[in-house]
Amino acid sequence: MKKLGVAVVGTGFWGRNHARVYKELESTELVAICDRDADKAKAVAGQFGVKAYTDSSQMLKNEAIEVVSVCTWSTSLAIEALKALRAGKHVLVEKPMATTTKQAEKLVLTAEENRVQFTVGFLMRFIPGLRHIREAVEKQKIGELVCATAKRVSQWPERIGDVGVVKDTAIHDIDVMRFVFGEDPIAVYAKAGCMRHRKFEDYALIMLTFEDGMSAFIESNWLTPYKTRMLTVTGSDAIMRLDYITQELWIEAANENIQPKYPWQEPLKAELQQFADCIIKKQKPLVTGEDGLKALSIAIAALKSSAKNRAIKLQ
Ligand SMILES: NC(=O)c1ccc[n+]([C@@H]2O[C@H](COP(=O)([O-])OP(=O)(O)OC[C@H]3O[C@@H](n4cnc5c(N)ncnc54)[C@H](O)[C@@H]3O)[C@@H](O)[C@H]2O)c1
């Protein structure tokens, strides 16, 4: 089987993981990496035995590259993703995808115009327990859906200096809520603030409301001394709890508690495998560019809500 030629732009903490996984997958061949930091580019390329670039425009001329993962700083994701899409490559852009919704819309449009596959790095969707929750909600296995709460807290990873906790961290849960509820929220109210970060918010509490009175609550911060990543979904008959770190899932009703078992799997591996499969089989990815655009626009509305101290209606 011919392998898909892949490149990674931005090989810091996360891009190196993309490069490693592409090396491990049977359907992909890591061809090149690019980082604007020449020393880093050389070191990572050496580690994986591929060609190093410091300028992505040069790298994109390489016809062996069919797929590009964009893992640069959050504020340069859109520029790099746009270049790759315009060069006719299939693109996975990391979250938050772009700085503005206008940039994100441009990416979605460019992918369509160039007839290439485009996805956004919402990793949580590749955790089997979350798929179980979505299916249980869809089939009303916990009765009527009432609300969901997410907690994603840890210490500030100080390498993140160009966005705050909403666009970096809470955006995962914004996407999760859209996925679990199977619809878009109609309004957002948020309170965010900055305790230790020099420039951006490092804590946020976000409430999303959906039609028919359902609601979701997201707590994110970079202040908690330990890492917690939990989701609780409440239905009229039972609740479901997922620990994203251990991938354990609990379903608790008045008379019965069950714990469906899924073997732990690396979400990034599942995500990149699925994207490669979609390219090969010409299928739509689980996370579309439109999903990325919607999550980003809700994150931006949450920041606006906090600044204006009022709920913001979403279209
Ligand atoms: N989906 C997830 O769960 C997840 C997890 C971690 C990080 N991320 C995302 O991945 C991205 C990278 O995060 P990180 O923690 O690896 O950051 P990082 O600072 O460790 O690495 C970013 C790298 O990109 C390089 N870079 C920046 N602009 C560039 C450009 N225009 N061209 C080439 N190289 C460029 C930098 O030199 C640096 O090496 C962020 O957008 C972050 O939100 C996603």
Side-chain angles (χ1 to χ4, degrees):
M1 185 185 71
K2 186 189 157 292
K3 293 186 174 207
L4 285 172
V6 182
V8 178
V9 184
T11 51
F13 161 73
W14 198 234
R16 270 197 301 267
N17 280 318
H18 277 243
R20 171 184 54 79
V21 170
Y22 284 129
K23 270 296 240 201
E24 290 170 4
L25 294 179
E26 293 213 337
S27 49
T28 58
E29 181 180 356
L30 186 68
V31 175
I33 62 94
C34 171
D35 199 291
R36 63 192 299 165
D37 176 331
D39 291 338
K40 205 180 266 179
K42 210 170 144 197
V44 176
Q47 180 186 349
F48 295 110
V50 297
K51 196 164 166 38
Y53 292 86
T54 51
D55 175 359
S56 59
S57 305
Q58 285 302 320
M59 186 189 78
L60 292 168
K61 290 179 188 161
N62 185 338
E63 286 180 8
I65 298 168
E66 296 160 271
V67 187
V68 176
S69 264
V70 181
C71 307
T72 60
W73 298 314
S74 292
T75 43
S76 44
L77 292 169
I79 295 168
E80 292 301 329
L82 189 62
K83 276 198 231 171
L85 290 169
R86 282 183 170 154
K89 315 291 184 190
H90 305 289
V91 172
L92 182 156
V93 64
E94 266 308 334
K95 54 81 196 165
M97 176 185 191
T99 302
T100 63
T101 51
K102 204 170 163 199
Q103 285 176 327
E105 279 161 5
K106 179 84 187 157
L107 295 180
V108 173
L109 192 70
T110 309
E112 275 167 20
E113 284 168 359
N114 286 274
R115 296 178 185 201
V116 290
Q117 295 276 26
F118 182 47
T119 191
V120 183
F122 286 130
L123 206 58
M124 300 305 116
R125 296 222 204 173
F126 296 89
I127 293 175
L130 187 65
R131 306 260 194 103
H132 187 117
I133 288 177
R134 170 64 197 138
E135 210 181 300
V137 166
E138 211 173 0
K139 295 186 175 154
Q140 297 206 323
K141 290 197 173 158
I142 56 165
E144 292 283 323
L145 178 59
V146 180
C147 62
T149 62
K151 190 177 177 103
R152 189 175 298 268
V153 297
S154 64
Q155 284 186 306
W156 174 30
E158 293 199 22
R159 66 178 190 283
I160 302 168
D162 60 344
V163 288
V165 78
V166 172
K167 280 184 180 173
D168 182 84
T169 306
I171 199 161
H172 275 299
D173 298 302
I174 292 171
D175 176 67
V176 163
M177 296 308 181
R178 291 188 59 246
F179 179 60
V180 168
F181 283 73
E183 60 185 72
D184 287 310
I186 53 170
V188 57
Y189 179 68
K191 287 309 280 179
C194 169
M195 294 294 284
R196 290 204 200 121
H197 201 296
R198 286 177 289 278
K199 252 172 110 181
F200 295 99
E201 81 286 350
D202 53 17
Y203 67 88
L205 302 162
I206 301 171
M207 186 169 177
L208 303 174
T209 51
F210 293 80
E211 256 169 15
D212 301 329
M214 298 178 299
S215 56
F217 187 73
I218 297 169
E219 178 186 0
S220 296
N221 76 46
W222 286 332
L223 302 170
T224 304
Y226 52 84
K227 189 165 161 177
T228 300
R229 296 178 168 196
M230 292 289 300
L231 174 70
T232 304
V233 178
T234 302
S236 52
D237 298 343
I239 70 155
M240 295 184 284
R241 280 188 302 124
L242 173 66
D243 183 328
Y244 290 109
I245 299 171
T246 62
Q247 300 190 359
E248 286 170 292
L249 173 67
W250 297 268
I251 304 178
E252 297 162 334
N255 305 322
E256 189 188 27
N257 289 347
I258 54 166
Q259 200 178 353
K261 294 277 184 224
Y262 293 98
W264 192 94
Q265 54 173 269
E266 185 182 0
L268 183 62
K269 201 163 189 176
E271 179 186 58
L272 300 188
Q273 177 71 69
Q274 188 259 180
F275 190 46
D277 289 346
C278 288
I279 293 167
I280 293 163
K281 294 176 188 160
K282 297 187 171 39
Q283 287 168 353
K284 201 168 155 185
L286 177 63
V287 181
T288 62
E290 198 70 32
D291 289 324
L293 167 62
K294 285 188 172 167
L296 178 66
S297 60
I298 296 165
I300 291 171
L303 291 168
K304 185 174 168 191
S305 163
S306 178
K308 300 213 174 263
N309 195 22
R310 63 173 169 82
I312 304 285
K313 278 192 181 169
L314 301 163
Q315 272 122 21

